[in-house]
Amino acid sequence: MTGLRVPQFSSTAALANFVQFGHDPNMARSKSRPVGRPPFFRPTRRGLRRTLWLVPLLLMAGALLDPALVAPVGPLAAQPERIETQFSVCGPGRGPACVIDGDTIKFGQRKVRITGIDAPELANPRCPEEAALARKSAARLRDLLNQGSFEMVGHRLHGQDGYGRDLRVLRRGDVSIGGQLIDEGLAHRYIGSKRSWC
């Protein structure tokens, strides 16, 4: 056989490179070359503007995921219900509509949890301070509801919480009744977990 060349290797490493990468020595060198450091990330104005567009989308996603946290807005809000009735505090001799505590009301068998607030517990307070504040909160909610007709607005996709209570924002005109309780120190803003009143 003429014209057939057998490659000559000067070392065992050269033979290993030939077996792994073929006979091109440049390929062996390019494979073993260290990779450079990635360039430092510098945000551009265009990138920041794109990121800022995500903020309202994330807020909308939060409203979709937990309507107990955020009042429904725009297309997420269901048709408002107008309420015109007198409320008492729930207990013996109560009427058909009553206040369970500072964030929950009842119409017959229907319970409504006010969206976005957390009031002290009237039924099972953890300390005497919470019990006293719970009575004030429930009485104040009753007084606010009895000042005239108001609207209840629910979430179009998530109308109830895990306890079967209707989740609603209560408002009279542009004023949030739950917001009034927060402003007066009779409720906390609900952030997904209960805070201590003790």
Side-chain angles (χ1 to χ4, degrees):
M1 291 186 162
T2 58
L4 180 65
R5 289 187 186 172
V6 177
Q8 300 294 318
F9 301 104
S10 59
S11 68
T12 309
L15 175 61
N17 280 339
F18 179 81
V19 170
Q20 186 174 4
F21 301 110
H23 65 280
D24 186 0
N26 292 329
M27 183 181 287
R29 278 198 295 272
S30 66
K31 290 286 185 183
S32 62
R33 190 174 298 155
V35 178
R37 293 175 62 189
F40 181 72
F41 174 71
R42 287 191 176 95
T44 62
R45 284 187 182 179
R46 185 176 179 188
L48 288 173
R49 274 187 296 226
R50 284 183 180 169
T51 305
L52 288 176
W53 278 104
L54 290 175
V55 173
L57 293 175
L58 290 173
L59 290 174
M60 190 75 91
L64 282 168
L65 293 175
D66 194 350
L69 295 175
V70 183
V73 292
L76 296 177
Q79 190 69 27
E81 297 176 67
R82 181 164 293 282
I83 306 298
E84 297 183 40
T85 189
Q86 288 294 303
F87 286 81
S88 61
V89 175
C90 292
R94 69 173 179 85
C98 66
V99 172
I100 295 174
D101 59 24
D103 59 27
T104 310
I105 60 177
K106 190 173 182 180
F107 302 94
Q109 297 304 309
R110 179 185 181 195
K111 289 183 181 178
V112 176
R113 174 76 158 78
I114 302 174
T115 298
I117 73 167
D118 180 48
E121 295 296 328
L122 191 58
N124 297 307
R126 295 182 181 168
C127 61
E129 293 83 5
E130 182 174 9
L133 199 58
R135 287 190 294 273
K136 286 182 186 176
S137 180
R140 180 60 175 148
L141 178 58
R142 178 201 60 207
D143 293 343
L144 289 170
L145 297 179
N146 288 338
Q147 288 177 4
S149 65
F150 61 92
E151 289 184 336
M152 295 196 311
V153 181
H155 198 288
R156 191 177 294 278
L157 302 179
H158 301 282
Q160 293 188 330
D161 66 6
Y163 301 101
R165 299 176 296 187
D166 294 343
L167 293 169
R168 298 291 184 267
V169 174
L170 276 54
R171 66 185 185 204
R172 182 173 289 113
D174 293 332
V175 178
S176 164
I177 293 173
Q180 286 182 268
L181 292 172
I182 292 172
D183 292 343
E184 295 174 17
L186 299 172
H188 290 150
R189 188 165 302 285
Y190 182 63
I191 55 171
S193 61
K194 290 184 171 291
R195 290 154 60 185
S196 175
W197 293 96
C198 299

